[in-house]
């Protein structure tokens, strides 16, 4: 507690050998952040510039990549500052804001993937009704819900914990996440149950919906002609890869917090870094390489740059 400023500060105690390897950590994370911005922005700009990519599927992909950039920007700047600082601290209010942004954007990823599943189902299984169902208004509503619903869910525990009394001021992590609940003198049973509800509403249920939808798509595609099977494979595979990646990373986050006391410190840091590095970098690579229309535009763009 800073008595002079009346501001509560939290020490981020999860940094390993930061004083010895600070410049190496800084260089690695700065490179990762630059790559995340470059890869994601490149695909988004490609979708915006090319009118034949102004379709619901590509709009959802652009939204997903923008979500990755926002997610990374919530983590990376503070990490980079911490690597070069003598003390790795964060104000309690900023910590709560980071928690809110981290989990609301994480859950938005699942809902955006669920919106993509709806789009692919209508496109492949009900192609004649696609223009009627997937209108600009419908796409806008799905995008709005994908960001507003998780934010509303996550805001409740954050707001209720603003004035909660802290008994310790050291967080075993390199950024603020649910491990912050270990700082409180008294933990609310209501908030613990509410957290389970949030996990199901904006995490597990959307994931089950996506799996169910793509299973139905694949069954229908298998029974259809070859062109339909090919279309299903080309458009559904990237979404499934992203879903699997993110589900694994979400499991990492739960495991890190639940096994905090017994988990090796170095392994905990490595797993935590995978959450903020792996998906934001590989999402645009997956869509850039696996989505035929996007990869074709990228190839043409590279060829033009080569001969200019």
């Amino acid at each position: 507690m800073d008595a002079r400023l009346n501001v509560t500060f939290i020490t981020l105690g999860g940094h390993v050998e930061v004083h010895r390897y600070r410049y190496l950590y800084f260089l690695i994370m700065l490179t990762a952040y630059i790559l995340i911005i470059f890869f994601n922005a490149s695909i988004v700009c490609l979708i915006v510039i090319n009118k034949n990519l102004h379709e619901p599927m590509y709009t959802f992909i652009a939204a997903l990549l923008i979500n990755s950039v926002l997610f990374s920007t919530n983590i990376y700047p503070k990490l980079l500052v911490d690597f070069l600082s003598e003390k790795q601290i964060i104000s309690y209010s900023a910590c709560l804001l980071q928690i809110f942004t981290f989990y609301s954007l994480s859950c938005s990823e699942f809902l955006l993937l669920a919106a993509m599943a709806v789009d692919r189902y209508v496109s492949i299984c009900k192609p004649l009704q696609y223009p009627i169902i997937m209108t600009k208004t419908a796409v806008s509503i799905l995008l709005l819900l994908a960001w507003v619903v998780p934010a509303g869910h996550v805001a409740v525990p954050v707001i209720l914990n603003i004035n909660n009394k802290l008994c310790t001021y050291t967080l075993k992590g390199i950024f603020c996440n649910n491990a912050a609940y270990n700082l409180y003198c008294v933990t609310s049973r209501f908030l613990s149950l509410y957290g389970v509800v949030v996990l199901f509403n904006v995490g597990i249920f959307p994931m089950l919906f996506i799996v169910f939808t793509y299973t139905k798509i694949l069954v229908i595609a298998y029974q259809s002609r070859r062109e339909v099977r090919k279309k299903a494979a080309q458009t559904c595979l990237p979404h499934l890869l992203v879903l699997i990646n993110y589900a694994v990373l979400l499991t990492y986050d739960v495991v890190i917090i639940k096994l905090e006391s017994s988990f090796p410190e170095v392994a905990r840091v490595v797993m935590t870094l995978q959450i903020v590095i792996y998906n934001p970098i590989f999402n645009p690579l997956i869509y850039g390489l696996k989505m035929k229309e996007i990869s074709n535009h990228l190839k043409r763009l590279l060829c033009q740059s080569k001969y200019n």
Side-chain angles (χ1 to χ4, degrees):
M1 175 76 75
D2 188 323
R4 182 172 57 87
L5 298 176
N6 196 28
V7 175
T8 302
F9 285 98
I10 307 298
T11 299
L12 299 171
H15 291 271
V16 179
E17 298 284 351
V18 68
H19 297 293
R20 182 182 297 182
Y21 301 111
R22 65 171 70 238
Y23 297 111
L24 177 61
Y25 290 163
F26 179 85
L27 183 61
I28 291 172
M29 297 307 291
L30 179 62
T31 302
Y33 188 43
I34 291 172
L35 289 176
I36 288 169
I37 299 294
F38 176 75
F39 288 158
N40 286 279
S42 297
I43 303 297
V44 171
C45 289
L46 199 66
I47 292 171
V48 171
I49 292 169
N50 293 280
K51 291 185 178 180
N52 62 332
L53 296 180
H54 292 181
E55 298 177 7
M57 177 175 65
Y58 300 108
T59 301
F60 289 130
I61 290 173
L64 189 73
L65 300 184
I66 291 170
N67 196 74
S68 293
V69 172
L70 294 174
F71 174 85
S72 301
T73 302
N74 178 52
I75 303 295
Y76 278 82
K78 180 66 174 77
L79 267 182
L80 293 172
V81 171
D82 284 341
F83 290 145
L84 299 181
S85 302
E86 290 299 319
K87 293 182 179 181
Q88 291 73 45
I89 59 173
I90 185 172
S91 69
Y92 179 57
S93 57
C95 187
L96 288 177
L97 178 61
Q98 192 172 57
I99 291 171
F100 167 76
T101 308
F102 179 83
Y103 287 105
S104 62
L105 292 176
S106 296
C107 295
S108 290
E109 180 124 356
F110 282 109
L111 293 185
L112 287 169
L113 288 169
M116 289 182 187
V118 172
D119 175 73
R120 290 301 83 206
Y121 175 78
V122 177
S123 175
I124 294 171
C125 303
K126 300 178 182 293
L128 297 179
Q129 300 177 39
Y130 185 80
I132 300 171
I133 298 175
M134 296 306 296
T135 62
K136 288 184 178 180
T137 301
V139 172
S140 299
I141 291 172
L142 288 173
L143 289 175
L144 184 64
L145 290 175
W147 275 307
V148 171
V149 171
H153 276 70
V154 177
V156 173
V158 171
I159 291 171
L160 292 178
N161 278 318
I162 289 176
N163 296 316
N164 204 352
K165 185 179 179 181
L166 303 179
C167 279
T168 180
Y169 298 91
T170 300
L171 179 71
K172 292 184 179 180
I174 58 176
F175 58 83
C176 292
N177 56 12
N178 271 341
Y181 290 114
N182 295 322
L183 302 176
Y184 300 122
C185 299
V186 178
T187 55
S188 169
R189 187 175 181 183
F190 165 75
L191 288 180
S192 298
L193 293 174
Y194 181 80
V196 175
V197 173
V198 172
L199 179 63
F200 273 88
N201 282 350
V202 290
I204 294 176
F205 287 151
M207 186 169 65
L208 293 175
F209 171 78
I210 294 166
V211 172
F212 171 78
T213 303
Y214 281 129
T215 301
K216 198 167 184 179
I217 289 172
L218 293 174
V219 169
I220 293 174
Y222 180 77
Q223 297 170 348
S224 303
R225 60 187 186 276
R226 183 180 177 183
E227 290 77 9
V228 177
R229 291 198 298 270
K230 186 178 180 181
K231 180 182 178 182
Q234 286 178 343
T235 59
C236 294
L237 182 60
H239 304 324
L240 287 173
L241 288 174
V242 172
L243 174 66
I244 292 168
N245 289 339
Y246 211 69
V248 170
L249 295 176
L250 181 67
T251 304
Y252 275 3
D253 184 64
V254 174
V255 168
I256 290 167
I257 294 168
K258 294 298 182 183
L259 301 180
E260 184 178 304
S261 59
S262 59
F263 215 67
E265 193 174 34
V266 175
R268 185 167 62 242
V269 171
V270 171
M271 290 175 70
T272 302
L273 289 177
Q274 287 191 58
I275 296 172
V276 299
I277 293 177
Y278 188 73
N279 227 49
I281 285 182
F282 282 95
N283 276 5
L285 292 178
I286 289 171
Y287 287 117
L289 295 175
K290 293 294 183 181
M291 298 296 289
K292 186 178 178 181
E293 286 296 323
I294 294 177
S295 63
N296 287 341
H297 280 291
L298 283 173
K299 288 175 185 176
R300 283 197 289 269
L301 187 64
L302 291 173
C303 288
Q304 288 176 1
S305 301
K306 183 178 179 180
Y307 291 107
N308 285 342

